[in-house]
Each structure stands twice: as C-alpha cells, then as structure tokens.
Amino acid sequence: MSIRRLPPELINRIAAGEVVERPASALKELVENSLDAGASRVSIRLHAGGLELIEVADDGCGMSPDEMRLALERHATSKLPGDAIDQVTSFGFRGEALPSIASVSRLTLDSRVHGSDGWRIEVDHGERAGEGPAALPPGTRIQIEGLFDKVPARRKFLRSPRSEYAACLDSVKRLAMARSDVGFTLDHDGRRILTLQAADAPTRVAELLTHELDRHGIGIDCIREGLRLTGVISLPTFNRGMADQQYLFVNSRPVKDRVLVGALRAAYRDLIARDRHPIAALFLEVPLEEVDVNVHPAKTEVRFRDPAAVRGLIVGGLRHALDEESQRSAAHEQAAAPVMWTSSASYVPEPNPGLGIASLREEQRVFEPVTFVPQARAEPAVEPVPSFPLGVARGQVAATYIVAEAENGLVIVDQHAAHERLVLERMRASREGGSIARQALLIPEVVDLEETDCDRLEGAAGELAGMGLEVERFGPTTMLVRAVPAALGKTDAAGLLADLASEIAELGGPMSLRDKLDHVAATMACHGSVRAGRVLSVAEMNALLREMEVTPRSGQCNHGRPTWVKLGHSEIEKLFGRK
Ligand SMILES: Nc1ncnc2c1ncn2[C@@H]1O[C@H](COP(=O)(O)OP(=O)(O)O)[C@@H](O)[C@H]1O
Ligand SMILES: [Mg+2]
C-alpha cells in the first residue's frame, strides 16, 4: 500500500460530491455568492431544470481578474478575514463551491469591478479553457453548462428536467425569503417564472407562499432568552400531504434542521393527522455563538449549543399562537391572517372584510355530500338568541350535524368530530392535572385479539393504566378490561383494544412517552365520542356547544378538519342575492 497526496483536480471532484448534488445545489451556491457580494438584484436563467444551463448574474461587488483566478482555486475565500469561523455572517466561508462546480461542468465566469473593465475566465471540467476581456455591467455572471455530463456516477442520480427544475425553484424561493431586501428574477426555458422586487420579509413570504395564508395563516412573533422567532404558520385545518412548504431559517440562512422540523411537528401534535403537514415560514434569530453553521459542506444543517431552548421557544411560541386561534377554524367566516408579523411585537388583527360568494362556495366542500334522506328535527326560533359564540341549537340534520343559530349567523357542527375533540381535551386535562378518572367495570370485559396484539397491549399496560385504561392478560389471545377512562363514557372495548394495539405497533419508533400518550388518547377519544348518526336531544346539543366554547383547540378535530363552520348573515344574504 502506498499513500499519496491526491492531485487538486481529484480533491475538487471529491468535494463536488458533497457540495453539489444536483443543479439545485449548484444554483444555491451561486446565488449565495451573489448575495454575499452585496447584490441588490439577482437574475437567474435555467434550461432543462438546470441540467443544460444554470446562469446567475448579479450587480454585486464583482472581482478583478486576479480575484477571479483565485476564486476558482480550492479553499480560496474572501469571507473569513480573520480566523473566526464561529462568527460567520455570510452564506459562504468554505471556499469550495466554485472549484467544485468547475470540476464537474463547463463554467464561464464573467466579472467586472465598478470603474474597470470586465474579464472572462472559462473552465472545462477543471481545466482552464481560456480567458479574455468581456463586456458586462459591473457585477458577476456565472454560467454552468452540462453539469455532471462527464460524471456518469452522478448523472445517473439526476432526475427529469422537471423535477430538477422543481428543486431549483425551491432553492430560489428559500434564498429569496431569506433576503427579501434583494430583487430576484427567475427564467426557465425562456419563460419568466418569478419577478420579485425588494420588499419587507412578510411581503416577500406572502408572495412566495400560497395566498390562502392570508386567511388561513397565523403571524408569529415571540422572543425568549435572547432568541427571537418570527414568521407565519398555517391554521391546523389548512394543511398539506407533504412537508414541502416548510421554510425554516436560522439567522437568515435557509436550513433543513431536525431540531426545527421536530419542534414544528410537536407544536401541531394532535391538531393535525400524522400524515398531514402545516405550511410555515419561520425565522429564528439566535446569537452567533449559540449556533455552529460549519456542520455540513452544503451548509443547510446547523448545530445549536442549546437545542432544548430552541425547541422550547418554537413549541411554546407556536402552541400559544395556535391556542389563541383555536376557536377559529379554517372554515370560519372571519378573515384571519395578520401576516404582517414583523410590523409590531404583538399583532392587531385586521378588520374583517368578510368572504365573497366564491370563497363561500369553496368552503361548502367541507361537507360530505349527503346521500341519505334528510331527517331534520327543528325547534321553533322563538326566544332571542343569547350571545353564545356558537349559538343555540336549533336542530339536527341527518343525525350528524348540529345546526345552531348565533347572533350573527348560522353555525353547523360536525357532532362526531367536535365530540371527539372534547373527549381528547378532557382526557388530556385530567392527565395533566395528575388525576385520571377511571370507571371500574362491574363485570370485567373479555376481549379476544391476535396474540401479537395481546403482547403489545400487555407491554403497554402500565402506560395505559396511567391513562385510566386497565387491561390484563387473560390468555394467549385474550385480554381483560377492568376499567376505562371515565371521560370515554360507554365504550366498545373490543374495538378500542384492537385499535390501540395497532396504534402501539405503529408508534413503536422513537417517540417520547408524552407523544405516544397523546396518540393513544386520541384513539381512545375517537371511541368515546358521539358517533355520526346518533340522534341528540336539544339539551345534549347545547351542552356540546357550550363545552366547545370553553375547550382549547375545539375548532379542529383530532385529524385537523374543522369541527364547525359558520355562515354569517351577510353570506346568507349574498347567497339569496339580497346584497
Ligand atoms: N458573484 C460573486 N461576486 C463577487 N465575488 C464572488 C462571487 N462569487 C464568488 N466570489 C468570490 O469567490 C470566492 C469563492 O467562492 P466560493 O467558492 O463560493 O467560496 P465561498 O463562498 O465559501 O467563499 C468568494 O469568497 C468570493 O470572494
Ligand atoms: Mg460560496
């Protein structure tokens, strides 16, 4: 075995493997360089998702020909004037992006410092291919062609131009949100995709996230122990099947950080189904010494000195905001989003403009189509309506929906979804109060299950007992239920145990006990709830409405759907063409 020092070319290609994974990561490095160069405008052109061409032009400080040559060398950077790697405020600092990209593509670097002439250097897969004068306005323009064309091992992992383009767009969005003071344009295959003027952060974020957040978003601004969190998050009822619309920033650097993603998840725990995801743009500001950005060559990961403090701020701050909004569901008539989160430390909601008919129609899709014969029982509307937010029950429709009259409109409640939520919150409140009310069964119930399910329930018996459910192994395939949580009321024990067993199997992974308990509680709550199809008395309906009004998070069911919707008087009038 003989040890040798690797030639610089090979070193660059090895580094390229870490720094540039695909067109989007090369693009990210180039745009970061433009931002570091003090650009006020960045223009981006892509062909075929960046596979054929990536061009980034800026009006930043530019480079002299000597600086350009140096910039293409490995570990050459202008961003660490001292040795203080822990005080980095620029995007770049490792000095490896340009040489890495140049080693796996054809790169053309044009640059011009204000007051002198432009210069061009061409590099073909790491080999200098020529230089000479170039005509361009002050600033820098870099073109990358045929990325990975000569690196089959990499090429193989590239996806279609379409999905490479999607990844590029995502990179640009993240950087454009990070630096709202900079203008951006993005062209793909000759088509203008984005035009962004310099703006404040809330305006920029609103431009890049779905406009629906105007109504379904919550502004965030909180400070704790030197950490500040600002941004906007979606109401739990406004969620997505993918976690692709979560934009997280630490000191203006876009990151994909596990601590932050985990905290975001935790804040929505049990407000949203496990396979659904909120939309969020969150900006965390922390003192430089609290965070290490030199963790990964692509610089998208960070390490916090005190991850628990960061998690605490995020979970606490978001949870507080979500609780405040909990009485409002996404289908609520009130316009919501105070998206101007940075304008003041505590926001003042905008006056309510009300919904137009078009959006009202959209909201009606919340209802399942009613395919059965409607059977309604009505109470005469005689007495004046007392000012309960959710109104007074007037009747039940299809044995599933409660119709109530409120001061300023009509409220429709999904009785099962609402009750399920109430049961969960009751169970949680009693758990947190330390006293779980149990209801012992006079005659223990015998439940037959698969042997593996019995094993799981037996293994979790201690935890379940802590929540008021006492189960005991009775035989290889039999469990005995001795007590159930009082909050559940009368329950189908066999169904509950079967569901809990599969719930426990699914949760087998590394979750905190608290998280697990919440999931188990949600499963129990579903079993203890008033089912759709049960006819309720007026007194029962009113009791449900009053309890919803005082229960936190009662605007959404445990799966993140709204539990109630409201038609304001003005909407009803519009529907009838009276307005
Ligand atoms: N668009 C640009 N405008 C001005 N200077 C640039 C630009 N892009 C790169 N440079 C210079 O080239 C150097 C090397 O860039 P890079 O390889 O990305 O490393 P890093 O950004 O980590 O310093 C930078 O430090 C900077 O001085
Ligand atoms: Mg760089």
Side-chain angles (χ1 to χ4, degrees):
M1 188 177 76
S2 64
I3 300 180
R4 64 165 181 145
R5 283 187 199 282
L6 296 175
E9 254 328 289
L10 204 50
I11 294 179
N12 286 337
R13 282 179 70 166
I14 291 171
E18 294 175 310
V19 181
V20 275
E21 213 182 328
R22 57 196 298 191
S25 32
L27 174 59
K28 164 185 165 298
E29 295 293 337
L30 298 183
V31 175
E32 287 183 352
N33 281 345
S34 296
L35 296 173
D36 283 344
S40 65
R41 300 204 52 81
V42 178
S43 314
I44 302 157
R45 282 201 308 135
L46 304 172
H47 282 173
L51 294 168
E52 285 172 16
L53 172 78
I54 302 171
E55 180 188 282
V56 176
D58 66 53
D59 61 356
C61 63
M63 289 173 271
S64 69
D66 278 344
E67 287 172 328
M68 291 166 71
R69 289 181 203 110
L70 205 52
L72 289 162
E73 277 175 31
R74 191 166 163 71
H75 300 314
T77 179
S78 57
K79 299 170 195 173
L80 287 178
D83 293 336
I85 181 93
D86 52 351
Q87 295 288 321
V88 174
T89 53
S90 53
F91 286 110
F93 54 86
R94 300 172 58 105
E96 51 187 5
L98 286 187
S100 301
I101 296 169
S103 73
V104 291
S105 69
R106 293 191 308 282
L107 183 147
T108 307
L109 170 60
D110 292 350
S111 198
R112 179 177 157 195
V113 178
H114 207 92
S116 52
D117 294 329
W119 195 252
R120 162 174 296 185
I121 299 182
E122 289 170 339
V123 186
D124 188 353
H125 292 86
E127 305 275 331
R128 206 54 71 76
E131 22 182 301
L136 76 160
T140 301
R141 179 173 63 218
I142 301 192
Q143 293 188 327
I144 295 168
E145 290 164 285
L147 183 71
F148 293 129
D149 266 357
K150 293 195 182 161
V151 190
R154 262 302 148 156
R155 183 95 216 167
K156 227 175 32 212
F157 290 102
L158 295 177
R159 312 244 296 277
S160 66
R162 211 188 160 69
S163 47
E164 294 302 338
Y165 162 67
C168 287
L169 180 59
D170 186 64
S171 288
V172 174
K173 281 189 180 176
R174 284 175 199 275
L175 286 163
M177 281 192 210
R179 288 292 305 274
S180 64
D181 57 322
V182 174
F184 288 84
T185 58
L186 170 64
D187 289 21
H188 184 227
D189 289 338
R191 211 159 59 86
R192 178 57 52 98
I193 309 288
L194 286 178
T195 307
L196 299 167
Q197 310 293 346
D200 59 14
T203 307
R204 176 63 59 84
V205 167
E207 275 177 293
L208 291 172
L209 285 178
T210 162
H211 287 293
E212 295 283 302
L213 278 197
D214 292 353
R215 285 194 299 126
H216 302 311
I218 309 172
I220 300 293
D221 188 352
C222 47
I223 302 182
R224 197 159 99 188
E225 292 161 25
L227 309 180
R228 178 161 192 212
L229 184 71
T230 53
V232 60
I233 59 175
S234 62
L235 285 169
T237 38
F238 193 70
N239 53 49
R240 287 176 65 78
M242 290 202 312
D244 58 342
Q245 298 246 14
Q246 298 179 352
Y247 301 90
L248 306 173
F249 305 85
V250 175
N251 294 340
S252 290
R253 182 187 298 279
V255 294
K256 305 206 158 136
D257 178 76
R258 291 202 0 255
V259 174
L260 303 188
V261 172
L264 179 60
R265 255 233 85 81
Y268 279 83
R269 184 188 52 207
D270 73 43
L271 292 177
I272 203 166
R274 237 173 308 157
D275 55 351
R276 306 293 301 176
H277 306 272
I279 296 171
L282 288 172
F283 299 81
L284 181 67
E285 286 159 54
V286 304
L288 289 180
E289 57 276 11
E290 292 290 316
V291 58
D292 183 1
V293 294
N294 186 25
V295 179
H296 188 268
K299 301 161 291 172
T300 50
E301 287 168 34
V302 292
R303 195 174 291 135
F304 295 106
R305 203 178 56 78
D306 186 357
V310 171
R311 186 182 158 91
L313 169 74
I314 297 177
V315 178
L318 299 192
R319 198 70 193 188
H320 178 75
L322 287 166
D323 283 352
E324 296 227 306
E325 296 293 327
S326 67
Q327 294 302 327
R328 201 181 91 197
S329 71
H332 192 344
E333 64 158 341
Q334 299 231 319
V339 191
M340 301 300 293
W341 72 84
T342 52
S343 55
S344 67
S346 61
Y347 69 78
V348 184
E350 299 272 294
N352 166 21
L355 290 184
I357 288 229
S359 50
L360 187 68
R361 293 249 161 75
E362 246 178 61
E363 296 189 350
Q364 286 169 332
R365 277 188 240 125
V366 181
F367 299 103
E368 298 288 317
V370 183
T371 49
F372 33 85
V373 184
Q375 26 159 264
R377 301 176 316 112
E379 303 293 322
V382 277
E383 78 279 21
V385 184
S387 59
F388 293 121
L390 294 181
V392 178
R394 291 295 179 210
Q396 194 184 16
V397 179
T400 301
Y401 303 107
I402 298 168
V403 178
E405 182 180 358
E407 254 174 333
N408 52 356
L410 188 69
V411 174
I412 305 171
V413 177
D414 177 334
Q415 66 188 42
H416 174 65
H419 195 247
E420 189 176 323
R421 184 82 217 175
L422 296 181
V423 172
L424 174 63
E425 292 296 336
R426 248 186 261 157
M427 289 182 57
R428 181 189 292 143
S430 64
R431 191 176 81 225
E432 272 163 15
S435 66
I436 300 276
R438 296 175 312 124
Q439 188 190 336
L441 302 181
L442 284 179
I443 307 164
E445 201 162 326
V446 180
V447 177
D448 286 318
L449 293 162
E450 295 284 322
E451 187 163 357
T452 49
D453 284 346
C454 290
D455 292 344
R456 288 190 184 111
L457 290 166
E458 192 181 9
E463 284 170 31
L464 296 175
M467 305 179 69
L469 180 69
E470 282 180 26
V471 295
E472 194 181 299
R473 189 71 173 249
F474 194 57
T477 60
T478 326
M479 299 298 292
L480 213 54
V481 184
R482 292 198 175 275
V484 296
L488 289 191
K490 200 169 150 29
T491 317
D492 155 30
L496 172 62
L497 258 55
D499 277 5
L500 283 178
S502 53
E503 177 83 355
I504 294 165
E506 258 180 63
L507 297 179
M511 272 182 111
S512 75
L513 179 62
R514 209 192 131 90
D515 287 342
K516 279 190 193 168
L517 291 181
D518 266 335
H519 282 295
V520 171
T523 303
M524 289 194 194
C526 183
H527 277 268
S529 304
V530 170
R531 292 280 167 188
R534 205 183 104 192
V535 176
L536 300 176
S537 73
V538 172
E540 282 177 308
M541 291 190 262
N542 278 321
L544 191 74
L545 296 176
R546 298 295 81 80
E547 194 174 347
M548 284 172 72
E549 282 160 2
V550 296
T551 302
R553 298 173 284 269
S554 64
Q556 302 95 40
C557 79
N558 301 344
H559 313 288
R561 293 187 297 271
T563 54
W564 57 276
V565 293
K566 183 173 191 175
L567 291 182
H569 282 157
S570 55
E571 270 96 51
I572 298 176
E573 280 168 2
K574 274 186 220 151
L575 283 176
F576 288 104
R578 282 164 165 265
K579 244 183 170 180

